[in-house]
Amino acid sequence: MSAVVTSRREGALLYVALNRPEKRNAIHRELLLALIDAVAAAEREPEVRAVIVHGEGPVFSAGVDFGMLAGDLRGEPALPFRTLVGDMQAALSRLEAIEKPVIAALHRYVPGLGLELALACDFRIATTDCELGLPEVRVGLVPDVGGTTRLVRTVGYARAKDLILTGRMIGAAEALAIGLVNQVVPPGEHVAAAARLAEVIAANAPLAVGLAKRLVDLGSNVDKHTFLAMELLAQSVLLRSEDAREGARALAERRPPRFTGR
């Protein structure tokens, strides 16, 4: 049996793929946990500077594997379902907290849990033929693996209500216009485009990139003065790093810096 998640490293980039093409990469608990484990492995590898998440086969992901929900939909005890969803919420929160940039390379179809996964990444690149949305209300459910929370924070209340309450799927052009995706590229070029973005980020000081990511994520929900204090604390840590000294030397010597992540 082939692995439901595969990974490969190329230089400073780690590519992690959903690998259930025969099931249109439908996501169940085991796949999601395996995906998070694969991405989290980047934290243990200093040479990895960025992660790209993509899907094998014709679509990024068809969303949730409804077979996983069968027990609860038959009216069996609710606690196992809540535990299941809690595990999946924790997994995406873990993905979001990784101090390395994670880029979702999306193609063709990204509904429900597929989009919730993408929303937990730092950047989303979509193909022009991509459709995205949270259609849970159409089957009597709500987005419950962080989709509601992260969509509001990504596109704002009004647009989030539009997408969640209508359950409609939108095209890549509209997704770009509302800030749901960062870039739109021709079909077949999403992974390469993600790699180009990742290489730009990977050239920067990794400690600074990691702390900047956490500052944005954590600071967006605090008051201005707390956010400013967080900036000062992060900067005081970075000023003592070897990378900051290397950055200053490289600037003075007019050469590209050689960052080590220390």
Side-chain angles (χ1 to χ4, degrees):
M1 181 181 296
S2 61
V4 295
V5 169
T6 62
S7 63
R8 74 181 194 279
R9 183 176 152 203
E10 293 184 9
L13 309 185
L14 178 67
Y15 294 80
V16 179
L18 286 67
N19 190 39
R20 294 184 79 201
E22 74 286 355
K23 297 291 186 182
R24 304 179 75 211
N25 293 326
I27 301 171
H28 49 46
R29 177 181 180 275
E30 290 71 24
L31 183 151
L32 188 58
L33 295 183
L35 178 75
I36 304 311
D37 284 346
V39 174
E43 291 187 308
R44 300 187 293 273
E45 297 185 39
E47 297 81 8
V48 173
R49 301 289 177 84
V51 181
I52 296 169
V53 175
H54 63 103
E56 300 287 3
V59 303
F60 174 74
S61 173
V64 69
D65 185 337
F66 278 96
M68 180 179 64
L69 307 179
D72 199 72
L73 293 175
R74 287 195 300 265
E76 294 176 4
L79 181 58
F81 176 72
R82 291 198 296 272
T83 301
L84 170 69
V85 173
D87 286 348
M88 297 175 79
Q89 288 179 341
L92 289 189
S93 293
R94 175 77 178 92
L95 171 63
E96 192 174 43
I98 290 170
E99 290 190 12
K100 294 190 179 185
V102 181
I103 303 169
L106 311 173
H107 72 292
R108 193 62 194 93
Y109 198 50
V110 191
L113 186 53
L115 182 54
E116 290 181 300
L117 167 60
L119 283 166
C121 298
D122 301 297
F123 303 93
R124 287 160 293 282
I125 292 177
T127 55
T128 53
D129 61 350
C130 194
E131 295 179 83
L132 310 92
L134 295 172
E136 283 84 348
V137 295
R138 296 188 176 189
V139 294
L141 301 172
V142 297
D144 62 353
V145 190
T148 305
T149 303
R150 293 188 177 95
L151 187 64
V152 168
R153 295 178 180 179
T154 302
V155 304
Y157 285 93
R159 290 185 173 119
K161 283 182 179 179
D162 175 6
L163 293 178
I164 293 169
L165 301 188
T166 64
R168 68 188 180 94
M169 301 292 291
I170 64 173
E174 183 176 353
L176 180 64
I178 66 175
L180 180 55
V181 302
N182 303 87
Q183 186 180 351
V184 174
V185 298
E189 296 186 16
H190 52 301
V191 176
R196 288 192 294 270
L197 174 58
E199 291 284 7
V200 171
I201 298 171
N204 297 322
L207 291 178
V209 167
L211 280 181
K213 170 181 172 172
R214 298 300 288 147
L215 272 175
V216 173
D217 287 346
L218 297 173
S220 61
N221 298 303
V222 302
D223 65 272
K224 181 183 70 174
H225 297 292
T226 302
F227 204 162
L228 288 169
M230 290 167 59
E231 288 181 355
L232 287 175
L233 288 171
Q235 198 75 304
S236 67
V237 171
L238 291 171
L239 282 170
R240 296 177 177 273
S241 70
E242 292 181 18
D243 278 353
R245 290 191 288 273
E246 165 60 13
R249 284 193 299 267
L251 187 62
E253 297 168 9
R254 298 183 180 180
R255 61 170 174 80
R258 295 181 290 271
F259 295 122
T260 59
R262 295 194 295 270

